Structure formats: C-alpha cells, structure tokens
Amino acid sequence: PWGAALLGAALGVPSCGSPPFSTSGARSAKSRRFAQKRALTERQLTRYFVDHRKVRVIGGHGGGGGHSFYSEPRKEFGGPDGGNGGDGGNVIFKADRQMRSLSSILPFYQGFHGERGGSKNCYGANGVSMYIKVPVGTLVKEDGKIVADFTRHGEEYVAAYGGAGGKGNRFFLSNENRAPTFFTLGEPGQERVLHLELKTTAHAGLVGFPNAGKSSLLRAISNAKPAVAAYPFTTLNPHVGIVHYEDYEQVAVADIPGLIRGAHQNRGLGMAFLRHIERCRFLLYVLDLSESQPWIQLQALKYELEQYKKGLSKVPCVVVGNKIDLTQSRINLPLLKEQVDDRVIALSALTGDNLEELVLHLRELYDSYVKREQSQGKSPVKW
C-alpha cells in the first residue's frame, strides 16, 4: 500500500477519498474578502476623531537664478544666458466632503521647491502646489482670528504662498553691463502657524442630556451605528446619519454627545462639542419622558445653548419626547405639551413607535430651510 501511494503521488494521481486539489485556501481567502470590518467602539473611535489641529505650514522656496555665459565655436562671447528660477509651490487647504475628521492632518507641511534656472535661458520649473484635504465645516484660525471657513465642498484657501524664484544673470543684461555676473537666489516660502477647528456640518442636530436616547433615535431613522449602552456619555464623538426620502433627498442628522448643566462653562464634555451644534440648521431636542417634569430638561438645554452663543436656542426646532413605551412617559406627555410652546412629537426609539411622524416633520423643516436659503440667494447645503 505504501508503494502504491508513493507511485500515485509521483504520477500526480490523487489518493482515494481526498479531493484532487485543496480548496481550503480559496475558501479562507473568500471568507476574508467578504468579511465585514468590525464596528469601532466609541473609545476606539475617539482616537480617529480629531476636531482640533495645530499646523505649521511653509511654502516652497523659490529656485535660484542661473549663472552662465553662452559659448560655442566661432562665438566665444555669446553673452549671459542664465535663466530665472522657478517659484515655490503653495500649500493649499481644500474642503472635501469625504473627510470626516482632522486625524489625517499632519503637524507640519512644506511646499515643493522651485527648480534653479539653467543655461541657455532655461527657466526653472515652478514647484507644484500641495493640496491638503480638510472636512467641510473646518475653521482656519491664526492668532485667534478666523482666516478661512470651509462651508462648501471644493473650497480652497492658500495657507502659505511659495517664494518667488531668483533672477538669472541674463535678467541683468543692459547696455551699461554687457556681461553681468550677478544673479539672485530664490525667496523663502511664507511660514505660518494655523489652528484648524472642525464644526460638524449637518442639517439637524440631536440635543439632549445623557441617556435621553439620542443615539438610539439616530440608529432608528438612519444607517448610522453610534454606540448604545445604559450608562451616561456613551457617545463620545459626533455621529452623522443620513435620512433618505423617496425623491432622493437626503437630510443629515448629527448626534451630539450628551450635554449637562454647566456645559457652557466647559463641564462634562463641555464646549468641545457645543460648537458642533452651531452649524445645524434646525435642532431636535430629545427629552426623556420617563423623568419627572421633562420640560425642565428643555429649559436647561436651551439655557446652555443660549449661554454658549446668543440666539442659538432660537433656531427652528422640534421637541422629541422619547421612551413613550413606558407608563410614566404616557402620564408626563400631556403635562409636557401644556408647558411647551414648540411642537412635541412623542415616540419610542426602542420599539419604533411614531417614528414616521418625526421623519415627515424632519422633511418639513428641511424644505423650509431650503426655501429660506433660496429666497436669500444662497445655495442650501446638500448631502
């Protein structure tokens, strides 16, 4: 038997009961190919979500001017022919809607240098501009002053200009000086220290205290997957979910990490995430209806927003009473409607009760925002 097996192996004949070729490698490769990436936890996501960056940018140096004299047979004194150097490349920030964080921004950038001028009046090549992609909603500050505000996809801002190229000795040719030996070096690029600050751009913002159910609500009306757990400050980073409609319109809803009383004084997560509410066109105040006197939550939330920025609590809004599936919530709902002037939508993000009313009203707020922008000659933000 051993001899037959060895003979079969030598002839390439498969042994009895075994497949003619191995498929384990193909199966494992296929499983790896179609395996989905594991969802990042909030703690892991914190390492990737960065909304502050300090960046030092330097434009490219200009190339030096050339220094040479033309010479060939029977034309020994052809005169100066050193060309000018190329200009240094600029460093440019460009808004890109695909970017969601400043985590990929490096602390230092320098533009490409211009090339030196050559002989035979050849000019040096200019340095290529360096483009740095930043998320839409990024503020660029210098010495505390805003120098750029990216609100649209594709917007650009020159962060540092490249230096001018030097002049070759051909440039200094004159009747008085027929053989100039003088040339200039290229200028250094502009150097700046800039602060980048990201403010999430979304149509609607979910505002509420910890454990009010904001993340559960966002998971229910969109494909976003923020972490959900029964402890405060589960959400540590803003999440943006997209609500799709039949006419292909998309409304972006941002889940802002939970606020606490005194957030405008930098308590809790504090002002680190209050700024993400500024860019929202309308707000959804998410209240926990199971707590006693839920209207007190609304008053506290509006107070924090108003203390952070004047008029922020006056933007169009709707009050969302969450956890209507609980008995105490049904008792508190009529009391809340008596105390609140804004529209109240009672729902349950856990069971999905009355989510349709919120989605339809969300579209009404979005349509009002679009009409308001168009009436003022502005183009509304699209996702």
Side-chain angles (χ1 to χ4, degrees):
W2 286 102
L6 292 173
L7 180 60
L11 296 176
V13 180
S15 61
C16 182
S18 63
F21 54 87
S22 174
T23 59
S24 60
R27 283 200 300 267
S28 61
K30 186 175 181 179
S31 63
R32 287 195 300 268
R33 191 185 316 131
F34 292 102
Q36 294 183 350
K37 294 182 179 180
R38 290 186 301 173
L40 296 175
T41 64
E42 282 290 330
R43 294 292 180 182
Q44 292 171 327
L45 188 62
T46 303
R47 295 182 299 176
Y48 298 98
F49 183 82
V50 178
D51 54 4
H52 264 104
R53 269 287 192 257
K54 180 181 178 181
V55 184
R56 178 169 167 250
V57 291
I58 302 178
H61 298 329
H67 175 265
S68 64
F69 288 87
Y70 186 73
S71 178
E72 65 176 11
R74 297 184 301 276
K75 195 173 184 181
E76 182 178 358
F77 302 102
D81 65 347
N84 298 337
D87 297 334
N90 301 329
V91 179
I92 302 175
F93 290 137
K94 186 173 183 179
D96 190 341
R97 66 166 63 98
Q98 301 298 328
M99 302 290 291
R100 291 289 180 261
S101 171
L102 298 175
S103 58
S104 61
I105 304 299
L106 301 177
F108 174 74
Y109 290 96
Q110 182 165 23
F112 296 100
H113 303 319
E115 294 185 1
R116 185 179 181 85
S119 60
K120 299 182 180 179
N121 296 324
C122 291
Y123 281 33
N126 294 333
V128 180
S129 295
M130 176 183 293
Y131 286 88
I132 305 170
K133 294 181 179 180
V134 297
V136 176
T138 301
L139 286 176
V140 182
K141 295 183 178 180
E142 185 177 23
D143 298 329
K145 297 178 61 178
I146 298 176
V147 295
D149 187 358
F150 296 102
T151 58
R152 307 287 177 184
H153 173 74
E155 287 183 340
E156 297 181 3
Y157 173 72
V158 181
Y161 287 95
K167 304 299 184 182
N169 63 338
R170 171 73 181 186
F171 179 83
F172 299 99
L173 178 65
S174 65
N175 291 330
E176 291 77 17
N177 188 1
R178 305 304 299 174
T181 59
F182 183 72
F183 65 96
T184 60
L185 301 175
E187 296 181 359
Q190 184 184 17
E191 181 175 355
R192 303 171 72 184
V193 176
L194 303 174
H195 294 264
L196 304 184
E197 179 181 311
L198 175 61
K199 295 184 178 181
T200 302
T201 301
H203 297 121
L206 298 175
V207 184
F209 288 112
N211 276 11
K214 302 183 299 298
S215 298
S216 300
L217 181 58
L218 186 65
R219 292 172 71 102
I221 63 178
S222 71
N223 290 328
K225 302 298 181 184
V228 175
Y231 53 83
F233 298 113
T234 308
T235 303
L236 300 175
N237 306 282
H239 291 264
V240 179
I242 307 299
V243 182
H244 299 270
Y245 293 89
E246 293 182 354
D247 58 352
Y248 302 104
E249 284 286 359
Q250 297 179 345
V251 178
V253 182
D255 175 18
I256 309 299
L259 303 178
I260 64 172
R261 290 174 174 84
H264 69 280
Q265 298 174 347
N266 215 19
R267 295 179 182 173
L269 295 177
M271 301 174 67
F273 294 106
L274 271 171
R275 63 173 171 271
H276 292 282
I277 304 176
E278 289 186 57
R279 298 294 177 93
C280 297
R281 273 60 183 181
F282 38 91
L283 300 178
L284 278 64
Y285 293 101
V286 183
L287 309 181
D288 186 354
L289 283 179
S290 63
E291 294 188 2
S292 60
Q293 298 181 333
W295 55 89
I296 302 296
Q297 303 175 45
L298 180 62
Q299 296 173 1
L301 289 171
K302 288 190 174 183
Y303 173 78
E304 294 298 329
L305 297 185
E306 195 66 23
Q307 291 298 311
Y308 173 72
K309 184 179 180 181
K310 199 73 173 177
L312 189 57
S313 63
K314 302 295 191 299
V315 300
C317 67
V318 61
V319 179
V320 178
N322 194 18
K323 306 181 182 181
I324 193 60
D325 52 306
L326 302 179
T327 304
Q328 186 62 39
S329 299
R330 298 191 188 96
I331 299 175
N332 292 335
L333 178 59
L335 302 177
L336 174 64
K337 291 184 176 180
E338 292 178 1
Q339 298 288 334
V340 174
D341 297 330
D342 302 316
R343 178 172 177 175
V344 178
I345 298 178
L347 52 81
S348 174
L350 179 63
T351 63
D353 293 342
N354 208 27
L355 285 177
E356 296 83 359
E357 182 181 355
L358 174 63
V359 173
L360 292 176
H361 186 64
L362 197 63
R363 179 59 189 271
E364 294 176 2
L365 292 172
Y366 173 76
D367 291 338
S368 300
Y369 155 71
V370 172
K371 292 179 181 178
R372 185 169 60 252
E373 291 290 300
Q374 292 176 347
S375 63
Q376 298 175 358
K378 304 177 182 178
S379 56
V381 176
K382 296 285 186 177
W383 278 73

